[in-house]
Amino acid sequence: MKGLNDGVSPAELKKMEDEAEANMRTDLSAILNEEEMAIFDEYQATVDERMLGQGLDMQLGMFASGLTGENRALVRDVMVDEFLALDTGMRDGSVSFDAESGPMGIQQQALAKARERLAQELDEEQLAHVDRYIQQMQQMAEMAMQFMKPKDN
């Protein structure tokens, strides 16, 4: 499937996603009854948030293990909020990224906004763990960008 890195606009990507979802729903409706479809819809409504939260929880456990349990949950929740807000903005066209930084720039924006919010909530020691986590994520994003750059022949 084509994506933003392939020069597909956010509107085109949204259209492709909507078509894929409609096709999946058509296929599912052939095998699920109304009650089962309602359960599926309920699940789908929060799947992105839950998956993102689980991934962030795992990353925070590896790269910010010094966070208290309560603060780890706070950091995860704030980051989920910021990532989902930017994702929504990309889908509705209110947020865009430049060609240089690509989608990785959106990640950097989300991390910066989350850090700004967390600076108001965490003490210096706990915020230092967040800063190390963000630095690690930035380094990983930079490596990914280097890997994805077209090679000059």
Side-chain angles (χ1 to χ4, degrees):
M1 177 179 222
K2 288 187 173 190
L4 293 174
N5 284 341
D6 299 317
V8 175
S9 74
E12 292 170 314
L13 184 60
K14 170 93 172 93
K15 182 181 177 200
M16 289 187 306
E17 288 174 348
D18 289 347
E19 288 171 357
E21 184 173 338
N23 290 337
M24 177 184 65
R25 289 188 60 72
T26 299
D27 292 346
L28 281 174
S29 68
I31 56 174
L32 299 179
N33 63 34
E34 279 186 42
E35 182 180 333
E36 292 166 331
M37 282 300 291
I39 292 169
F40 174 77
D41 289 340
E42 188 177 309
Y43 171 83
Q44 283 296 102
T46 60
V47 72
D48 291 342
E49 181 178 346
R50 285 182 286 108
M51 288 178 60
L52 181 57
Q54 289 173 349
L56 285 168
D57 212 28
M58 179 190 67
Q59 291 175 353
L60 290 168
M62 291 188 305
F63 301 120
S65 59
L67 288 170
T68 66
E70 183 178 309
N71 286 340
R72 182 171 156 181
L74 172 67
V75 170
R76 179 199 61 229
D77 292 347
V78 167
M79 288 190 173
V80 165
D81 288 348
E82 294 300 338
F83 277 109
L84 290 178
L86 286 173
D87 182 63
T88 299
M90 281 181 49
R91 291 172 190 276
D92 69 17
S94 65
V95 172
S96 61
F97 55 86
D98 59 61
E100 178 84 13
S101 62
M104 295 296 181
I106 297 294
Q107 177 183 1
Q108 301 309 314
Q109 287 179 40
L111 291 170
K113 287 182 178 191
R115 199 245 181 240
E116 187 177 304
R117 284 177 55 190
L118 292 165
Q120 299 171 18
E121 307 257 351
L122 301 175
D123 63 35
E124 286 182 29
E125 184 263 334
Q126 290 288 283
L127 189 59
H129 291 291
V130 172
D131 288 338
R132 284 191 293 276
Y133 168 77
I134 289 173
Q135 182 179 32
Q136 183 70 34
M137 293 301 102
Q138 289 171 334
Q139 289 172 346
M140 291 170 63
E142 288 170 13
M143 288 190 307
M145 287 296 292
Q146 291 298 318
F147 181 73
M148 293 187 312
K149 273 189 179 176
K151 304 237 187 293
D152 293 332
N153 290 353

